[in-house]
């Protein structure tokens, strides 16, 4: 009965979404306040119904109701409770319901916290949000019903994919979807602005917190997924340019560009048309990711469905949403005023340059991801585009972007003084050059990768350049006694930028060192045998069979020594799940400031009387996670800026006129 209630709640949500998509839009066009007010009530009611449906599906998983086909196919009574709950979104139907729930949540949040929005803009934005909801509610009800029954119900379920039975994967999809779907709010505001025919500083002030919230969640979701891949898949890496990894990275790039572009609209009333375009592209790329995961056009560990019929439905949604948006943009964008003019050498110019580089990077990743599909569709043969292509094409685009990231914040608005800024950064440049030469010397000159020194130089340039800008703003050198007071008065958005830029610098250190200097040893290792890796002695002491809640595991015990002294014992596992019967790998990782010792145990090798083991030393990998964490913290601090809570300022003249 509870499953039927959930299904009926989705039908009611669809009816409410249809009302929300039409009545407020007509009211805004005709200036009828009562019709526009329907948007708020409808968004609350829509969220309530969808939340009931999500709760009903969660109840079915927690109580192991195998009469529901979705539960029978993706759960099992032996699963721990955490993975029963994670099973709700560990499949196509449930993940789609989570997608719709978050979509409704963002619309409801605008109703709750958008009291400072103009009624017309708010009504139009919520109507556009409801149009998206209508498409996805039709999709789930017509092709992907999560509450479909199975008769007769099985005694037990098929179980969840063992690779998804991990804490990282339990929290990764919700956070990723909060980012994916969060860009729908920026998209709705962009379409509402096009319909209204007005984009100004106030619009940018209203749209930035929603975009920033989505960006923070998407950043956290991507890093959680990378961390899971690092310690679970057992190959020693954290990013493989998998098509579905790319599908989350592309909207992140577009969203990052959108955040910076919105700053220019807010501060200088410029780049309005470009900002609207980025909002459409960011959400369009999110929809593209949804299509790739569910269409069956690619094979990936991340893919949910392989049903082409579902893929066609989502492709239709993608074409309608993005194609209609671009058509509206083509009609309305030329009528927008250009806004404030600026010199190419200015803060606006630096932000625009980085916008173009990020957009080009996103286009490069898009081309590399879709090219094999295009080639196959045109009968050009099977083509594989992998890490060598992306590393060779994408990373060089990011190098000039990092250079500009240190210069841009120090430039003046409208017209900057590039020689003056470079003069203030001359010691930073010298330090970066010195680090590059030191790295080149330490790795034995040309015997190591040539780009290692460049990577470290970029990290030093950005990190020290950001700190120089902070010192200038607080007058740390000129008036150190007043520096603390000046620092306390700086807006939180500035502190968020500082932490985010420092995070990128720290991330570059981890990326460069781990890519250039990782050492790997793969061998058949006997009990008592020692292998040296990264200055550590790794001795296999024993391999024991241990039971788990719904699996059995071969657990290796490795004694770690350095300089003849035992410093640790590491215990990686090779697990075999009972339902579904599938093996997984869990690596043992010893993290340190300078890197990770990474140990994986594989299958026994009867011929050599030992076990296959993979041992890695990954330099500076913890710096990757630290840099990503700084990015998230920086975004959260920026989100707490008071300007995002009070909305756009009212001009003094308008206030006096209202009082008169």
């Amino acid at each position: 009965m509870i499953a039927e209630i959930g299904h009926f709640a989705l039908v009611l949500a669809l009816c409410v979404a249809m009302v929300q998509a039409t009545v407020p839009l007509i009211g805004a066009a005709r200036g009828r306040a009562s019709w526009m007010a329907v948007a708020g009530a409808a968004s609350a009611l829509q969220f309530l119904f969808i939340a009931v449906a999500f709760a009903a599906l969660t109840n079915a998983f927690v109580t192991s109701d195998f009469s529901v086909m979705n539960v029978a196919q993706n759960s099992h009574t032996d699963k721990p409770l955490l993975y029963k709950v994670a099973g709700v979104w560990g499949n196509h139907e449930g993940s789609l319901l989570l997608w719709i729930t978050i979509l409704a949540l963002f619309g409801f949040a605008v109703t709750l916290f958008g009291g400072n929005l103009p009624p017309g803009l708010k009504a139009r934005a919520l109507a556009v949000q409801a149009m998206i909801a209508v498409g996805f509610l039709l999709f789930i009800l017509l092709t992907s019903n999560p509450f479909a029954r199975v008769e007769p119900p099985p005694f037990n379920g098929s179980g969840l994919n063992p690779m998804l039975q991990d804490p990282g994967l339990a929290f990764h999809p919700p956070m990723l979807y909060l980012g994916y779907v969060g860009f729908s709010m920026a998209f709705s505001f962009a379409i509402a602005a096009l319909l209204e025919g007005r984009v100004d500083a106030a619009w940018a002030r209203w749209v930035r917190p929603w975009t920033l919230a989505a960006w923070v969640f998407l950043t956290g979701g991507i890093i959680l997924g990378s961390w899971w891949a690092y310690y679970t898949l057992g190959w020693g890496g954290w990013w493989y340019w998998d098509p579905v990894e790319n599908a989350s990275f592309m909207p992140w790039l577009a969203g990052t560009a959108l955040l910076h572009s919105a700053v220019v609209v807010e501060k200088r009333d410029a780049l309005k048309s470009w900002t609207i375009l980025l909002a459409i592209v960011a959400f369009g790329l999110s929809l593209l990711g949804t299509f790739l995961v569910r269409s069956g056009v690619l094979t990936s560990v991340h893919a949910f469905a392989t049903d082409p019929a579902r893929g066609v439905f989502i492709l239709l949604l993608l074409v309608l949403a993005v194609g209609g948006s671009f058509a509206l943009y083509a009609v309305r964008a030329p009528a927008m005023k250009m806004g404030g003019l600026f010199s190419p050498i200015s803060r606006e110019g630096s932000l625009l340059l980085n916008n173009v580089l990020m957009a080009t990077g996103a286009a490069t990743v898009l081309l590399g991801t879709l090219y094999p599909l295009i080639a196959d569709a045109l009968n050009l043969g099977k083509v594989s585009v992998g890490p060598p292509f992306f590393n060779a094409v994408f990373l060089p685009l990011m190098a000039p972007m990092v250079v500009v990231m240190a210069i841009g914040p120090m430039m003046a608005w409208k017209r900057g003084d590039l020689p003056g800024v470079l003069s203030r950064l001359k010691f930073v440049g010298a330090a970066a050059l010195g680090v590059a030469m030191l790295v080149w010397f330490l790795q034995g000159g040309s015997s190591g990768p040539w780009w290692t020194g460049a990577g470290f130089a970029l990290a030093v340039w950005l990190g020290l350049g950001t700190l120089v800008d902070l010192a200038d703003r607080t007058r740390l050198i000129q008036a150190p006694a007043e520096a603390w007071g000046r620092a306390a008065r700086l807006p939180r958005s500035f502190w968020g930028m500082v932490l985010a830029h420092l995070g990128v610098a720290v991330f570059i250190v981890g990326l460069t060192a781990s890519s250039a200097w990782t050492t790997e040893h793969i061998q058949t290792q006997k009990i008592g045998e020692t292998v040296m890796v990264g200055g550590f002695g790794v001795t296999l002491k024993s391999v024991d069979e241990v039971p788990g809640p719904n699996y059995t595991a071969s657990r290796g015990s490795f004694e770690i020594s350095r300089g003849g002294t035992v410093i640790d014992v590491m215990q990686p596992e090779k697990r075999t799940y009972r339902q579904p019967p599938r093996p997984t790998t869990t690596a043992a990782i010893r993290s340190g400031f300078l890197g990770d010792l990474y140990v994986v145990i594989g299958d026994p090798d009867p011929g050599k009387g030992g076990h296959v083991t993979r041992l890695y030393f990954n330099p500076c990998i913890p710096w990757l996670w630290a840099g990503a964490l700084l990015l998230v913290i920086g975004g959260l601090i920026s989100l707490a800026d008071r300007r995002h809570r009070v909305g756009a300022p009212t001009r003094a003249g308008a206030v006096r006129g209202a009082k008169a």
Side-chain angles (χ1 to χ4, degrees):
M1 183 62 184
I2 294 179
E4 282 69 31
I5 291 174
H7 188 219
F8 185 58
L10 286 179
V11 175
L12 292 177
L14 174 61
C15 296
V16 173
M18 288 179 173
V19 172
Q20 183 184 334
T22 53
V23 174
L25 206 59
I26 298 171
R30 298 182 177 180
R32 296 189 178 184
S34 59
W35 288 30
M36 288 189 285
V38 169
S43 67
L45 196 58
Q46 182 194 153
F47 174 69
L48 175 63
F49 287 139
I50 294 175
V52 167
F54 189 81
L57 186 60
T58 303
N59 175 77
F61 271 87
V62 171
T63 60
S64 296
D65 182 1
F66 298 122
S67 68
V68 177
M69 184 181 297
N70 194 16
V71 180
Q73 292 176 344
N74 298 284
S75 193
H76 193 274
T77 53
D78 291 342
K79 278 198 317 183
L81 179 61
L82 173 63
Y83 303 130
K84 287 184 178 180
V85 176
V88 176
W89 52 79
N91 57 87
H92 166 71
E93 292 82 3
S95 68
L96 189 60
L97 181 56
L98 175 65
W99 209 102
I100 296 170
T101 304
I102 294 173
L103 183 70
L105 175 63
F106 270 91
F108 182 50
V110 169
T111 298
L112 288 180
F113 305 112
N116 57 351
L117 289 167
L121 179 66
K122 183 177 179 180
R124 288 185 174 96
L126 289 176
V128 174
Q129 194 80 352
M131 291 178 190
I132 302 169
V134 168
F136 277 91
L137 284 166
L138 285 172
F139 179 39
I140 196 171
L141 288 170
L142 296 178
T143 71
S144 309
N145 180 14
F147 300 105
R149 294 287 190 175
V150 56
E151 292 291 344
F155 178 74
N156 215 329
S158 301
L160 180 66
N161 184 343
M163 298 184 71
L164 303 180
Q165 296 186 43
D166 181 90
L169 259 290
F171 300 106
H172 159 66
M175 188 168 290
L176 196 67
Y177 281 19
L178 282 165
Y180 264 158
V181 185
F183 284 126
S184 68
M185 209 63 253
F187 170 82
S188 296
F189 275 113
I191 300 303
L194 287 175
L195 292 172
E196 199 171 68
R198 187 180 68 182
V199 177
D200 53 18
W203 176 87
R205 180 73 64 85
W206 287 313
V207 80
R208 275 186 65 202
W210 303 102
T211 306
L212 186 56
W215 181 88
V216 168
F217 283 121
L218 186 57
T219 304
I222 291 172
I223 294 304
L224 265 179
S226 298
W227 179 63
W228 165 81
Y230 177 64
Y231 75 80
T232 297
L233 299 184
W235 60 287
W238 55 276
W239 189 266
Y240 196 67
W241 294 105
D242 179 275
V244 183
E245 289 176 341
N246 296 346
S248 63
F249 188 46
M250 289 185 289
W252 185 89
L253 288 168
T256 306
L258 172 60
L259 277 177
H260 291 80
S261 182
V263 173
V264 180
V265 178
E266 180 186 342
K267 299 289 187 183
R268 295 286 304 138
D269 198 33
L271 301 184
K272 293 186 286 190
S273 180
W274 172 250
T275 304
I276 292 288
L277 180 61
L278 284 175
I280 295 172
V281 168
F283 183 60
L285 290 173
S286 295
L287 288 178
L288 178 64
T290 304
F291 167 71
L292 291 176
V293 170
R294 290 170 170 79
S295 62
V297 299
L298 56 83
T299 302
S300 168
V301 68
H302 306 81
F304 277 122
T306 57
D307 184 356
R310 292 171 174 175
V312 170
F313 199 111
I314 292 191
L315 185 60
L316 178 62
L317 287 178
L318 179 64
V319 170
L320 288 175
V322 179
S325 303
F326 282 141
L328 180 63
Y329 176 81
V331 172
R332 293 296 185 96
M336 293 182 185
K337 295 181 180 178
M338 289 296 294
L341 299 177
F342 56 88
S343 166
I345 307 299
S346 62
R347 189 178 300 186
E348 298 98 319
S350 65
L351 287 169
L352 178 59
L353 175 59
N354 273 2
N355 261 231
V356 171
L357 290 171
M358 279 186 280
T360 305
T364 300
V365 177
L366 178 64
L367 175 63
T369 303
L370 297 184
Y371 185 75
L373 305 178
I374 297 170
D376 189 36
L378 297 177
N379 294 320
L380 299 178
K382 295 291 184 181
V383 178
S384 177
V385 178
F389 167 80
F390 292 105
N391 293 337
V393 178
F394 175 80
L395 294 180
L397 284 172
M398 297 299 103
M401 186 191 77
V402 174
V403 172
V404 176
M405 283 173 68
I407 297 173
M410 304 177 72
M411 300 283 283
W413 293 103
K414 195 173 182 179
R415 183 178 297 277
D417 178 17
L418 182 59
V421 171
L422 293 178
S423 175
R424 289 151 65 190
L425 292 173
K426 58 180 179 292
F427 295 112
V428 174
L433 180 60
V435 166
M437 295 176 64
L438 177 63
V439 169
W440 185 83
F441 174 77
L442 291 176
Q443 71 174 7
S446 58
S447 61
W450 65 268
W451 45 262
T452 310
F456 278 97
L458 284 173
V460 171
W461 168 262
L462 177 57
L464 292 183
T466 301
L467 294 177
V468 166
D469 183 34
L470 176 61
D472 285 351
R473 291 175 188 257
T474 58
R475 298 182 62 82
L476 180 64
I477 306 300
Q478 299 89 339
E482 303 173 7
W484 178 255
R486 292 179 181 273
R489 291 191 294 272
L490 289 173
R492 292 178 186 175
S493 57
F494 172 76
W495 285 107
M497 180 200 72
V498 168
L499 284 179
H501 285 194
L502 289 176
V504 173
V506 173
F507 187 89
I508 292 172
V509 172
L511 172 65
T512 303
S514 62
S515 300
W517 297 332
T518 290
T519 56
E520 173 185 359
H521 292 269
I522 302 176
Q523 61 280 308
T524 298
Q525 196 169 353
K526 298 178 181 178
I527 302 296
E529 185 178 352
T530 300
V531 176
M532 298 299 298
V533 55
F536 294 94
V538 182
T539 305
L540 177 60
K541 302 299 289 185
S542 64
V543 180
D544 302 308
E545 295 296 319
V546 295
N550 58 337
Y551 61 84
T552 57
S554 297
R555 178 182 294 168
S557 182
F558 292 81
E559 196 173 76
I560 311 302
S561 60
R562 194 162 198 172
T565 303
V566 176
I567 58 175
D568 201 357
V569 174
M570 300 175 66
Q571 295 182 316
E573 293 182 356
K574 177 82 172 184
R575 296 177 177 176
T576 302
Y577 283 79
R578 290 191 288 273
Q579 191 64 29
R582 194 175 301 174
T584 65
T585 299
T586 300
I589 303 171
R590 186 178 190 273
S591 290
F593 181 76
L594 295 179
D596 285 357
L597 179 62
Y598 187 101
V599 180
V600 178
I601 188 164
D603 296 321
D605 186 346
K608 296 184 179 180
H611 280 74
V612 175
T613 62
R614 297 196 298 276
L615 313 176
Y616 303 85
F617 183 74
N618 296 325
C620 295
I621 279 284
W623 292 56
L624 282 168
W625 316 130
L629 184 61
L630 283 174
L631 276 171
V632 172
I633 294 173
L636 290 173
I637 290 175
S638 293
L639 194 58
D641 194 296
R642 180 177 178 272
R643 291 177 298 171
H644 294 325
R645 298 195 301 275
V646 301
T650 304
R651 296 186 184 276
V655 173
R656 287 194 296 270
K659 289 181 178 179

